[in-house]
């Protein structure tokens, strides 16, 4: 059982590795973006899909990572390596702080608290415009996008960097959900009171989930900024909190490869739709409605239910 | 302008804001109170109200007064119908599950925005106010001969804004009469307290929910119709009312109508006043953080009943 | 009695509004005993054991476990010290398999030890006779089997004190007999506090019986004594006869 799970995930990583050599440039660039965003979605999935905590403000963690990285480069002249570390730390710190406060609430109140904190961060980015360049954002110069001697602006290197992040997060998640701590997170999602009465400190486990989820999201944000060279306030806005929810729901909440499948599908759905119409929001809206109505478990969730019960 | 007159101006602007916000937030609170779901598309119903008001007035043309009156009645009715339909088609079918409802209403939000963008377009469009007489307001000063009234330059309000300020109390009283004096009100209150028992007493809960969702949206639309002569209709205008309504409903205590009205006046006034003296962005940062912290400290809201 | 007191309460109270669900209860349970807690519906039994394990906070009084004042400790810390609680209303992880349910109960003590985790999970499965159903999702089990799973989750924790809240409710006669046999076996290593309505089970199993009524303890003693106690008959048995 363990072997086929490992085979599936290593196979996916291997497939993405091979794709690099065959994809035409347009799709090559798309898949690189999708892999980084899928890492973001996996971070979201840890909280929503595995622990049962619905956040409506995850863009704040993504943006914290992105701005932590970008601002430390822009204003302190940090090199890419140090800036990435700053970005990850920013995601971690914000997630820990938000977790400590927001986890005092549950359910609807939790969603609204996360939404409000995210909104406050977005507004703060606008308010400190002279420092953050507000709405416009800023470009990270090519000369700064060199990581350990590798030019991240080069498509091939960029693709492999995105794949490295994706593989790292995927394998870390695989390890975590099979680890006792991950089992407890799933138990909390299923029945928090029962979990507590089995002697687990559910509050600390939830805090761990929020912090880890925020750190992964922040890392994805920092890497996205580094690879694609742009830092902007739109990444802190509400849509970027909704997207991971959408991707995870589409792919299957509480499944490991679901976030990737969901991101891939949604990306190409919008891509195809935009060939016909520029109404991408309509596509997103209709997709959300159809998902909640007809496939609340998502693609991988449905596969697991029907045919592949062993899917993690 | 001196501080005194300036403050009075800010208070009047705050009252306009509070009036519109009271109506909008009341709609959200009603939906939450009766149906126990959070409607993320509430701001879009507000936006639809404003856009439909523009559509009705520009279609009717002619006398501004008559066209506006038609919008005041027509736009909320249409928005209410759209919302009831959305409830019947979508929310009913996810069984009002709190999380799935949130996701579904996010979907509705995007759909409404995009359809408006494709039909109404990206421009902001004004609706002419039915009447707009500028009324200068007096202020007083301590002169040598005691209190003397004078008319400071810039201290004025339009008759239309006074109308908006008066509108909220009128609607509130009407709503209160409906809730306490009519059979419909009784049915709503019974469903609000316990939908299972209501069902047992042969109350058609699903129809009641559709109606409540419609009324909630219509209240937002009404607030929007009132505000378009002051601020123009735009397809993205729903975000602020949604955020502010959330804030009001939370501070007021989720689902408590009385708390909602109190909080709407409080927030509307302070938002109006703060944005006269500070930048709106700073005011919003402050407001969102306050809401988050209120929820963290008192998940039931400031005026809400405490649950143990 | 030479036995050590495992758990003890002093003047333990819990009020809900004006209702005194638990009213100044002094209670002691020596280690190794199998004690039944009985009383009419609404006597405060479930509230009382919820106070013991920390699911709800007391309005007043003290709880001591293993000689330590645990009144202010959260539930998970008390469970960690060796209490286990099985819910009156079946509360298993419906979407997880039977085996995963029990593993969650075991893994708190065996997180770093895969082999012990597996063998203790299998042992608990076998004890309640659910080995054949290990891979089924818990929600697919019959009600009686879910009750057994609930008990297995209690056993999997290897507790010093096992609190069972109406474990035989809804079980068939055959399942009740199996439960009695299981409890006899478990009682050799574990102190058990059993809330139970089935008088046959109580009279067969319990070494001593504590009777609660209206939030207070009205009698305590060996089964024969309780059976003969006039107050108990009036408060509890009498009511039941009247009802029946």
């Amino acid at each position: 059982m363990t072997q086929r799970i490992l085979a599936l995930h290593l196979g996916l990583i291997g497939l993405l590795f091979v794709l690099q050599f065959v994809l035409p440039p347009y799709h090559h660039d798309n898949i690189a973006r999708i892999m980084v965003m899928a890492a973001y979605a996996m971070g979201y999935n840890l909280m929503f899909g595995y622990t049962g905590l619905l956040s409506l403000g995850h863009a704040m963690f993504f943006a914290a990572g992105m701005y932590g990285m970008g601002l430390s480069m822009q204003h302190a002249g940090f090199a890419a390596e140090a800036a990435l570390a700053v970005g990850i730390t920013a995601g971690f710190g914000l997630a820990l702080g938000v977790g400590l406060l927001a986890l005092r609430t549950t359910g609807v109140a939790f969603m609204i608290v996360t939404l409000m904190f995210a909104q406050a961060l977005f507004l703060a980015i606008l308010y400190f415009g002279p420092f953050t360049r507000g709405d416009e954002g800023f470009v990270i110069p090519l000369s700064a996008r060199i990581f350990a001697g590798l030019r991240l602006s080069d498509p091939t290197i960029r693709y492999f960097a995105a794949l490295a992040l994706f593989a790292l997060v995927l394998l870390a998640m695989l390890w975590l959900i099979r680890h006792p701590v991950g089992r407890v997170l799933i138990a909390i999602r299923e029945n928090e009171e029962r979990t507590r009465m089995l002697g687990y400190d559910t509050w600390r486990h939830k805090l761990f989930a929020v912090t880890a989820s925020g750190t992964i999201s922040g890392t994805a944000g920092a890497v996205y900024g580094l690879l694609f060279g742009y830092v902007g306030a739109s990444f802190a806005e509400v849509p970027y909190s909704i997207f991971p929810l959408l991707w995870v729901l589409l792919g299957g909440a509480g499944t490991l490869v679901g976030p990737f499948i969901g991101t891939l599908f949604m990306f190409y759905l919008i891509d195809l739709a935009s060939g016909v119409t520029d109404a991408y929001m309509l596509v997103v809206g209709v997709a959300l409605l159809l998902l909640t109505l007809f496939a609340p478990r998502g693609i991988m969730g449905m596969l697991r239910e029907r045919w592949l019960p062993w899917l993690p | 302008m001196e501080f005194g007159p300036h403050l009075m101006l800010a208070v009047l602007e705050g009252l306009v804001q509070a009036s519109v916000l009271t109506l909008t937030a009341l709609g959200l609170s009603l939906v939450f109170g009766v149906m126990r779901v959070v409607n993320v598309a509430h701001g879009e119903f507000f936006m639809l109200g404003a856009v439909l008001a523009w559509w009705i007035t520009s279609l009717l043309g002619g006398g501004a007064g008559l066209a506006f009156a038609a919008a005041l009645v027509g736009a909320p009715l249409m928005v209410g119908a759209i919302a009831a339909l959305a409830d019947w088609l979508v929310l009913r079918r996810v069984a009002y599950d709190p999380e799935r409802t949130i996701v579904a209403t996010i979907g509705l939000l995007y759909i409404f925005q995009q359809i408006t963008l494709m039909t109404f377009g990206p421009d902001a469009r004004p609706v002419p106010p039915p009447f707009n007489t500028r009324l200068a307001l007096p202020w007083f000063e301590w002169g040598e001969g005691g209190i003397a009234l004078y008319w400071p330059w810039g201290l004025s309000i339009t008759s239309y804004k006074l109308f908006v300020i008066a509108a909220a109390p009128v609607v509130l009283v009407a709503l209160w009469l409906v809730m306490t004096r009519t059979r419909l009100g009784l049915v709503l209150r019974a469903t609000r307290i316990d939908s299972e028992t209501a069902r047992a007493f042969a109350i058609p809960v699903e129809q009641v929910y559709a109606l409540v969702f419609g009324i909630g949206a219509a209240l937002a639309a009404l607030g929007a119709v009132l505000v378009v002569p002051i601020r123009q209709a735009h397809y993205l205008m729903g975000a602020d009312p949604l955020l502010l309504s959330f804030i009001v409903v939370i501070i007021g205590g989720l689902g408590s109508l009385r708390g909602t009205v109190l909080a709407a006046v409080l927030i509307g006034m302070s938002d109006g006043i703060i944005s006269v003296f500070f930048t709106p962005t700073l005011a919003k940062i402050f407001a969102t953080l306050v809401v988050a912290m209120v929820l963290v400290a008192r998940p039931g809201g400031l005026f809400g009943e405490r649950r143990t | 009695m030479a036995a050590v007191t495992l758990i003890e309460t002093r003047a333990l109270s819990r009020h809900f509004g004006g209702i005194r669900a638990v009213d100044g209860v002094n209670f002691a349970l020596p280690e190794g005993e199998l004690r039944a807690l009985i009383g009419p519906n609404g006597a405060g039994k479930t509230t009382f054991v919820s106070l013991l394990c920390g699911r709800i906070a007391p309005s007043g009084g003290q709880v001591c476990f293993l000689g330590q004042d645990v009144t202010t400790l959260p539930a998970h810390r008390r469970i960690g010290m060796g209490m286990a609680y099985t819910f009156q209303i079946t509360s298993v992880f419906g979407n997880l398999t039977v085996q995963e349910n029990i593993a969650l109960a075991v893994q708190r003590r065996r997180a770093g030890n895969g082999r012990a985790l597996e063998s203790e999970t299998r042992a608990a499965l076998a004890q309640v006779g659910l080995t054949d159903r290990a891979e089924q999702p818990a929600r697919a089990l019959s009600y009686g089997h879910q009750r057994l799973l609930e008990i297995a989750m209690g056993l999997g924790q290897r507790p010093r004190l096992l609190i069972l809240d109406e474990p035989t409710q809804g079980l068939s006669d055959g399942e009740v007999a199996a439960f009695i046999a299981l409890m006899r076996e478990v009682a050799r290593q574990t102190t058990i506090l059993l809330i139970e309505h089935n008088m046959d089970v109580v009279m067969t199993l319990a070494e001593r019986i504590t009777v609660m009524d209206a939030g207070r303890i009205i009698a305590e003693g060996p089964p024969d004594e309780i059976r003969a106690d006039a107050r108990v008959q009036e408060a509890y048995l009498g009511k039941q006869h009247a009802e029946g």
Side-chain angles (χ1 to χ4, degrees):
Chain A
M1 188 166 96
T2 313
Q3 273 167 351
R4 64 181 168 191
I5 289 172
L6 209 57
L8 174 77
H9 295 93
L10 292 178
L12 177 63
I13 293 167
L15 178 72
L16 286 166
F17 182 85
V18 174
L19 273 180
Q20 197 285 136
F21 301 99
V22 295
L23 281 176
Y26 176 69
H27 294 287
H28 185 272
D29 182 70
N30 280 351
I31 297 290
R33 281 176 202 271
I34 288 168
M35 286 190 290
V36 180
M37 283 307 176
Y40 176 30
M42 281 190 275
Y44 187 83
N45 194 27
L46 174 58
M47 231 172 104
F48 171 61
Y50 285 106
T51 319
L53 293 166
L54 203 166
S55 146
L56 289 179
H58 247 51
M60 67 179 145
F61 304 127
F62 191 81
M66 185 178 249
Y67 274 90
M69 182 279 298
L71 290 177
S72 63
M73 263 185 176
Q74 199 81 344
H75 294 286
F78 278 24
E81 296 85 352
L84 178 65
V86 172
I88 295 172
T89 313
F92 167 80
L94 183 66
L96 183 64
V98 167
L100 282 171
L101 291 170
L103 284 174
R104 295 173 51 108
T105 65
T106 54
V108 172
F110 181 81
M111 301 174 204
I112 295 173
V113 168
T114 50
L115 181 74
M116 292 295 158
F117 278 130
Q119 192 65 13
L121 180 72
F122 167 65
L123 291 168
I125 290 172
L126 296 189
Y127 184 72
F128 295 103
F131 189 62
T132 61
R133 305 287 308 278
D135 242 345
E136 265 171 63
F138 54 91
V139 168
I140 295 175
L142 284 178
S143 58
R145 287 160 61 196
I146 294 172
F147 193 91
L150 299 165
R151 299 184 60 85
L152 295 176
S153 47
D154 174 83
T156 305
I157 291 173
R158 181 161 70 192
Y159 187 96
F160 283 130
L163 178 60
L165 172 73
F166 174 76
L168 188 72
V169 175
L170 183 69
L171 295 177
M173 286 291 296
L174 180 60
W175 174 78
L176 175 65
I177 63 157
R178 299 172 62 80
H179 187 273
V181 170
R183 306 310 300 168
V184 174
L185 296 185
I186 293 172
I188 290 173
R189 175 191 73 194
E190 293 294 318
N191 186 341
E192 181 168 352
E193 173 68 358
R194 190 57 177 116
T195 312
R196 199 163 67 90
M197 296 312 291
L198 286 177
Y200 296 105
D201 187 341
T202 53
W203 195 85
R204 281 175 65 169
H205 277 87
K206 288 196 288 185
L207 184 62
F208 166 78
V210 174
T211 311
S213 169
T215 309
I216 295 172
S217 304
T219 309
V223 170
Y224 196 88
L226 267 179
L227 295 188
F228 300 98
Y230 171 71
V231 172
S234 61
F235 290 107
E237 267 194 280
V238 176
Y240 272 87
S241 290
I242 304 301
F243 287 149
L245 172 65
L246 181 62
W247 296 329
V248 166
L249 277 173
L250 178 58
T255 66
L256 264 188
V257 288
F260 172 72
I261 302 289
T263 313
L264 184 76
F265 251 73
M266 204 64 218
F267 195 95
Y268 275 98
L269 189 64
I270 291 176
D271 195 57
L272 289 175
S274 61
V276 190
T277 156
D278 55 358
Y280 89 91
M281 286 196 302
L282 199 61
V283 177
V284 174
V286 171
L288 277 171
L289 277 193
L290 292 179
L291 275 172
T292 42
L293 281 178
F294 302 111
R297 288 179 205 286
I299 296 169
M300 298 312 283
M302 243 151 67
L303 281 180
R304 173 158 67 184
E305 210 167 38
R306 300 264 166 88
W307 297 291
L308 308 168
W310 49 271
L311 215 59
Chain B
M1 224 187 299
E2 291 166 66
F3 181 75
H6 201 158
L7 181 68
M8 177 160 174
L9 197 64
V11 167
L12 285 171
E13 289 299 325
L15 279 174
V16 173
Q17 180 85 279
S19 175
V20 173
L21 188 56
T22 302
L23 297 177
T24 313
L26 212 52
L28 192 68
S29 179
L30 188 69
V31 168
F32 185 84
V34 176
M35 301 165 66
R36 296 278 141 194
V37 295
V38 174
N39 173 19
V40 184
H42 195 66
E44 303 319 305
F45 290 130
F46 182 90
M47 179 275 286
L48 284 179
V51 167
L52 287 173
W54 173 85
W55 185 67
I56 292 173
T57 51
S58 57
L59 204 69
L60 290 179
L66 202 64
F68 187 78
L72 205 53
V73 177
L77 278 179
M78 289 160 82
V79 171
I82 294 172
L85 187 70
D87 173 84
W88 198 253
L89 289 179
V90 181
L91 301 195
R92 185 173 60 99
R93 300 183 53 177
V94 299
Y96 304 98
D97 172 78
E99 292 190 353
R100 287 172 74 192
T101 299
I102 285 193
V103 179
T105 50
I106 291 172
L108 289 175
L109 178 153
Y110 282 122
I111 292 173
F112 288 142
Q113 261 184 25
Q114 188 74 51
I115 289 177
T116 310
L117 176 62
M118 290 191 304
T119 52
F120 179 79
D123 304 323
R125 296 168 198 240
V127 168
F131 41 84
N132 209 23
T133 324
R134 186 156 285 278
L135 306 168
L137 296 170
W139 192 249
F140 54 88
E141 61 182 354
W142 296 98
E144 283 159 13
I147 302 174
L149 284 179
Y150 75 110
W151 274 259
W153 189 83
L155 180 58
S156 65
I157 189 164
T158 63
S159 55
Y160 182 73
K161 283 186 178 175
L162 285 179
F163 168 72
V164 174
I165 294 174
V170 172
V171 175
L172 270 181
V173 169
L175 194 71
W176 180 75
L177 285 176
V178 169
M179 286 298 271
T180 53
R181 298 289 156 86
T182 64
R183 221 187 112 67
L184 173 69
L186 184 67
V187 166
L188 289 186
R189 280 181 292 146
T191 314
R192 174 188 157 86
I193 291 165
D194 185 349
S195 63
E196 285 308 311
T197 314
R199 218 182 287 272
F201 279 95
I203 291 176
V205 170
E206 286 182 344
Q207 272 107 311
V208 171
Y209 277 7
L211 184 70
V212 166
F213 204 67
I215 294 175
L219 281 170
L222 185 63
V225 178
L226 287 172
V227 95
V228 267
I230 302 170
R231 261 175 263 145
Q232 306 179 334
H234 184 253
Y235 82 104
L236 288 176
M237 74 190 295
D240 273 0
L242 176 68
L243 197 67
L244 282 174
S245 301
F246 259 142
I247 295 175
V248 164
V249 171
I250 290 158
I251 302 264
L254 289 168
S256 146
L257 294 183
R258 198 171 311 152
T260 302
V261 173
L262 267 170
V265 174
L266 197 74
I267 304 279
M269 291 284 290
S270 47
D271 190 61
I273 294 173
I274 289 171
S275 32
V276 169
F277 291 104
F278 301 98
T279 71
T281 313
L282 193 61
K284 275 191 222 158
I285 294 178
F286 184 69
T288 44
L289 284 178
V290 165
V291 172
M293 295 319 289
V294 164
L295 264 185
V296 166
R298 290 200 52 180
L302 277 186
F303 303 104
E305 65 260 50
R306 268 183 180 235
R307 268 172 260 156
T308 42
Chain C
M1 258 197 248
V4 191
T5 301
L6 185 68
I7 192 160
E8 193 176 0
T9 72
R10 291 189 204 103
L12 193 65
S13 301
R14 172 69 204 208
H15 307 165
F16 295 106
I19 302 160
R20 299 176 167 192
V22 173
D23 190 13
V25 169
N26 294 306
F27 171 87
L29 178 59
E31 182 144 36
E33 195 174 301
L34 198 165
R35 172 80 60 94
L37 179 61
I38 66 171
N41 285 326
K45 306 181 297 290
T46 295
T47 308
F48 176 67
V49 293
S50 296
L51 290 170
L52 291 186
C53 64
R55 279 185 78 200
I56 53 177
S59 310
Q62 259 187 334
V63 181
C64 292
F65 183 57
L66 298 166
Q68 190 185 331
D69 185 347
V70 296
T71 316
T72 55
L73 284 190
H76 64 89
R77 295 277 302 280
R78 299 190 202 186
I79 307 278
M81 288 171 69
M83 283 190 208
Y85 176 81
T86 70
F87 285 65
Q88 178 181 12
I89 298 156
T90 307
S91 175
V92 295
F93 302 107
N95 291 321
L96 306 184
T97 66
V98 171
Q99 184 250 334
E100 283 173 324
N101 268 277
I102 299 176
L104 273 165
V106 176
Q107 93 171 28
R108 195 191 70 243
R109 296 170 299 109
R110 298 291 188 204
N113 186 341
R115 197 169 304 161
L117 173 60
E118 211 182 303
S119 70
E120 287 187 23
T121 302
R122 227 180 295 126
L125 265 171
Q127 260 185 310
V128 296
L130 284 176
T131 309
D132 294 345
R133 303 179 184 275
E135 294 305 322
Q136 285 184 11
R139 69 182 128 80
L141 294 182
S142 69
Y143 181 78
H145 284 143
Q146 287 190 1
R147 300 297 307 174
L148 288 177
L149 173 57
E150 184 82 50
I151 293 167
M153 287 164 78
L155 298 177
Q157 298 177 60
R158 302 261 163 109
R160 302 280 293 270
L161 170 65
L162 178 60
I163 302 173
L164 297 159
D165 198 346
E166 297 199 24
T168 66
Q169 195 183 40
L171 295 192
S172 69
D173 289 349
E175 286 168 334
V176 170
F179 170 79
I180 291 175
L182 175 63
M183 281 302 110
R184 286 221 165 97
E185 186 192 321
V186 174
R188 273 187 241 138
Q189 300 118 28
T190 309
T191 311
I192 296 175
L193 179 60
L194 173 71
I195 298 184
E196 187 54 69
H197 272 306
N198 185 329
M199 277 307 129
D200 293 339
V201 175
V202 171
M203 293 302 167
T204 324
L205 276 175
E207 293 165 48
R208 286 171 72 83
I209 299 174
T210 301
V211 189
M212 278 185 82
D213 187 30
R216 293 170 165 275
I217 291 179
I218 56 167
E220 194 170 291
D224 294 338
E225 216 172 276
I226 293 299
R227 219 194 301 254
D229 191 301
R231 281 171 306 170
V232 177
Q233 283 179 358
E234 188 197 340
Y236 183 61
L237 303 168
K239 269 185 202 169
Q240 275 215 331
H241 287 308
E243 276 167 22

